[in-house]
Amino acid sequence: MKLILRKWGGFTGKAGAEVHECDLDSLPPAEAERLRKLVKDAQLDALPAKLTKESPQSWDFHHALTVIGDDGSERTVEFHEDAATPQLRAVASEVAQK
């Protein structure tokens, strides 16, 4: 499984875009299993493709989390942090630290 987090926006716009990638196969087994559990708990398949807050502003940060499964399947959820579920924020936070 591979996780890709893209973050853009704020006052820096596209120039300040960040990309964080995490290949679970390259992690120690216990850490990879913990991340797999976080992804499972986030239930990405049950979430809409976009989670936006009620009144987005032009300076808000946008995030897109892509999960590429071991079978090649791919799922992306684009979100504002304020509109994301706690589980989705937890996955994004972990990927951003890798």
Side-chain angles (χ1 to χ4, degrees), residues 8 18 28 30 36-37 44 48-51 57 70 81-82:
W8 68 95
E18 298 176 22
R36 285 182 193 278
K37 183 177 181 336
L44 296 178
K50 287 189 176 188
L51 296 166
Q57 302 297 317
D70 295 327
E81 194 168 275
D82 296 341

Side-chain angles (χ1 to χ4, degrees), residues 24-93:
L24 274 57
D25 291 338
S26 68
L27 298 175
E31 190 173 347
E33 188 57 36
R34 186 177 63 78
L35 270 170
R36 285 182 193 278
K37 183 177 181 336
L38 281 175
V39 170
K40 182 179 177 188
D41 290 348
Q43 300 179 359
L44 296 178
D45 289 336
L47 296 176
K50 287 189 176 188
L51 296 166
T52 57
K53 61 185 193 178
E54 195 170 309
S55 299
Q57 302 297 317
S58 61
W59 56 82
D60 288 340
F61 282 103
H62 301 269
H63 302 75
L65 178 68
T66 300
V67 177
I68 302 171
D70 295 327
D71 62 356
S73 63
E74 192 172 310
R75 171 76 166 131
T76 299
V77 176
E78 189 176 317
F79 61 96
H80 283 94
E81 194 168 275
D82 296 341
T85 63
Q87 296 85 356
L88 179 56
R89 283 195 304 268
V91 174
S93 177

Side-chain angles (χ1 to χ4, degrees), residues 2-13:
K2 185 174 185 178
L3 308 173
I4 303 166
L5 176 68
R6 294 175 182 85
K7 180 178 176 182
W8 68 95
F11 292 108
T12 58

